[in-house]
Amino acid sequence: MTSSATADGGQDLAEQMNDAVREKFVMGGFLGEGTYAMVHKAHYRHDPSQVFAVKKIKLNAEYHNGIAPDAIREMQFLSELTHPNILKLIDVFSSKDQNLSFVLELAPRGDLEKLWKNKDITYTAADIKAWTNMLCQGIWFCHENFVLHRDIKGSNALIAADGTIKLADFGLARRFADPGTRMTTQMITRMYRPLELLYGCSHYGGTADMWSIGVVMAELVKRDWYLGSETDIQQVSVICEKFGTPTEETWPGVSALPYYVAPEKQNNMVGTTANRIARPRSWWRQEFMLLGDDGAEFIKGLLTLDPQKRFNSRRALEDKYWTNMPRPTKKENLPKEGGGEKAVGDDLKRKGGETPTNGRADKVARKLDFGAM
Amino acid sequence: MSKQPARAAAASKRLAEDGDICPVCKSSRYLNSTMQFKINPACYHRMCDTCVERIFKRGNSTCPIAGCAKTLSWAKFRRATFEDLKIEREVDIRKTVMDVMNKKEEDFETLRDYNDYLEQVEEIAWNLILNIDVEATTGKLERWKQHQKAELDAGPPLASGKGATQRKASQSSKKKDEAETGFTFHGLKKRVAPVKEAPYDPWGGWSIAPQYYVLQDNYDVDWYKRIKTDVHHVAGGHSLQDYCSQALRDAFGGLGVFIEDEILARDTPSMDADVGTEHAVAAAMSGKDANMNVNMDDVF
């Protein structure tokens, strides 16, 4: 170590290795900038045909003495998980001003949220099936390796050049908790947050992610936000109005959760809709008519209030919905949005837990306040 | 006296040919502007739709045109596309022929073979148009249609199928072929059935199954029983199955790693790229260790 330090102008081995990684890439055009990160295009020095997105994390004022935890999480989980439906982390290096840079796979076709928002694109039930299946495969792989994503939403499901869905943004991810360990419930963007988190239960499992997938799927069907609200309390009432307030019969143990309010007490507060009973099967078929009967059954499995009864990722992939007609569209035939490089920048520069600040999401978006927790 | 009717007859004949007078009921379009003419592809005789309704609606009947005794059915009557009914008939015949004789250039080995085939098809069409050997030709067409259909079905190829390999078969077998299949064409490639698409795999070809241990449905551990009945864990969807699986994977996952094999595999790609990946892995590992020991996630 000392010999190399003297030979290379005071650089130690780690610095030399870091330089070697940085030298491999040639920075290209600027793709976008957010409060959290800056995104550039880059390519290999030895092979300019291979293009990547370089996400340069800005120095965080809260963590000036180290790396921000979401950067560590992202680095840890993205490098551990290698699956076609998970965004690949190619390399990590730090620049001279000690900013961390992630070299990521480039997903130039926008994301699922832009897709349903773009009214120029028409898609069918088979396309929704293909996208949801890729999403389910990605999250199944995460769960199979005991990683909770905790921030699944349309804008975190990027679309690669070949149409594959890539699960991105592991800034809020963590390992499955040991029994007895408390996890924070202020995870997952509110619109996609399941009821057990809103009720303040800190022992949730993989099924929390499955609820988010259910909401993403519902958004794809409706081509609109599905469960939108402005506060956590409102979110609870929106969910209860949609699917019925859970009781001890429908969800054993729910009354023990910190923020649970029984329907008979809710009556005075919210109104008569609060104690709506669970929706019958016919309602699900009506609500998700586009998906057909087995599709409605499937999304009902994802959007079940009781997390024990909700599909886990393995059960979701075992569903007969995938093998029934219509066959999921091949990824080369999926409708694509030409989001282009600008969109890539938008997708990657966001911080975990944020929704994009344009259009109708403005009121729904809320920054995760790490300091307050 | 005798000239008058003759002139009138000539005039009406001309009108009928022009298409304005129904040859059956002699009513004229001049008097009935909504009149429509219909034909039946069995004989291509024209008549107005009132006549068609009147004669054929109650059931099949013979064509009312003198000299034509074809039995026509009401359902087959339609408006002619072409003014000239000879063309109408030719188009219909060609349509039926092309339905059966639908080979393309890529189905033949050489362009010459394809051209020969086209010539034969043209001959069949003209035979039918000019009423030469109609019965023999339609019989052959029908047999060829059956043969094609049999070939399309998923079953094994017919024993008499004529592929490139069998092209130089003896004359006698070729004769037999023709009797069975209607036609033989020189240089026609054997039909290759398209590969049947495999059923959709929702797992994308991945499977993760433990190799070195079997996951039980239930484990009897004392401290664990408390968790099993803890209402917060149950109601929150915490899965003990996942926890057990994780613990076992952590314990035995390393058994599947053969370092010597990985070193061999690593030496194959270029070495200069490896410095970086090693560093990235090292960085990731340090992050992981920090997470495990300090339980950094639970700060939030």
Side-chain angles (χ1 to χ4, degrees), chain B residues 71-90:
Chain B
T71 308
L72 310 179
S73 81
W74 184 66
K76 292 268 175 66
F77 274 96
R78 60 177 165 85
R79 293 189 66 186
T81 314
F82 298 96
E83 188 87 347
D84 189 343
L85 293 177
K86 273 183 191 152
I87 294 177
E88 178 84 22
R89 176 166 170 268
E90 185 174 337

Side-chain angles (χ1 to χ4, degrees), chain B residues 8-241:
Chain B
S12 78
K13 196 182 171 207
R14 202 176 59 242
L15 270 174
E17 276 165 3
D18 285 353
D20 278 343
I21 284 184
C22 171
V24 182
C25 62
K26 314 289 184 202
S27 58
S28 154
R29 192 175 353 229
Y30 180 73
L31 299 170
N32 177 7
S33 59
T34 58
M35 193 164 89
Q36 283 187 351
F37 286 96
K38 288 196 169 165
I39 53 138
N40 191 308
C43 64
Y44 293 94
H45 284 133
R46 228 157 43 105
M47 59 196 86
C48 71
D49 55 350
T50 326
C51 288
V52 172
E53 294 271 311
R54 180 168 54 86
I55 302 170
F56 297 98
K57 182 131 194 200
R58 291 197 201 138
N60 297 353
S61 186
T62 50
C63 178
I65 307 286
C68 175
K70 291 249 169 65
T71 308
L72 310 179
S73 81
W74 184 66
K76 292 268 175 66
F77 274 96
R78 60 177 165 85
R79 293 189 66 186
T81 314
F82 298 96
E83 188 87 347
D84 189 343
L85 293 177
K86 273 183 191 152
I87 294 177
E88 178 84 22
R89 176 166 170 268
E90 185 174 337
V91 167
D92 284 350
I93 288 172
R94 284 184 182 278
K95 223 181 250 172
T96 51
V97 171
M98 295 314 281
D99 269 350
V100 183
M101 313 303 283
N102 51 9
K103 294 285 174 214
K104 290 179 191 149
E105 192 182 337
E106 54 263 33
D107 294 331
F108 290 88
E109 291 188 343
T110 61
L111 181 62
R112 177 65 202 255
D113 288 334
Y114 180 55
N115 284 335
D116 287 350
Y117 161 82
L118 285 181
E119 195 178 334
Q120 254 176 294
V121 172
E122 196 63 20
E123 202 180 311
I124 297 162
W126 276 110
N127 274 352
L128 293 177
I129 292 163
L130 301 174
N131 291 321
I132 304 165
D133 288 343
V134 176
E135 266 180 46
T137 318
T138 45
K140 275 164 113 184
L141 270 180
E142 186 54 34
R143 283 203 299 282
W144 180 251
K145 193 175 170 184
Q146 296 302 333
H147 170 67
Q148 296 291 94
K149 208 179 152 203
E151 217 178 39
L152 268 178
D153 288 343
L158 289 180
S160 62
K162 341 155 282 302
T165 47
Q166 285 181 325
R167 257 186 304 123
K168 285 176 185 141
S170 67
Q171 198 66 23
S172 64
S173 84
K174 209 168 184 179
K175 278 263 154 55
K176 194 173 138 243
D177 270 359
E178 206 164 321
E180 274 176 21
T181 64
F183 302 98
T184 46
F185 298 110
H186 188 266
L188 182 60
K189 284 184 202 159
K190 203 175 177 68
R191 182 178 171 275
V192 184
V195 185
K196 218 174 174 191
E197 206 174 16
Y200 186 76
D201 178 16
W203 304 81
W206 288 73
S207 83
I208 299 173
Q211 277 178 281
Y212 300 98
Y213 58 92
V214 177
L215 192 65
Q216 306 291 319
D217 288 337
N218 191 25
Y219 291 92
D220 278 324
V221 187
D222 280 344
W223 66 268
Y224 190 95
K225 275 181 189 148
R226 185 179 56 80
I227 302 288
K228 217 179 270 179
T229 51
D230 178 53
V231 73
H232 290 278
H233 282 78
V234 171
H238 180 92
S239 163
L240 284 169
Q241 190 72 15

Side-chain angles (χ1 to χ4, degrees), chain B residues 240-291:
Chain B
L240 284 169
Q241 190 72 15
D242 280 343
Y243 172 65
C244 298
S245 161
Q246 184 179 359
L248 284 170
R249 180 84 61 82
D250 287 352
F252 298 113
L255 290 181
V257 178
F258 299 100
I259 295 173
E260 281 184 0
D261 292 355
E262 290 199 359
I263 288 174
L264 280 176
R266 192 193 59 189
D267 285 343
T268 5
S270 63
M271 282 302 289
D272 61 330
D274 264 333
V275 187
T277 30
E278 266 171 12
H279 178 63
V281 168
M285 288 306 280
S286 65
K288 184 176 156 189
D289 288 341
N291 186 25

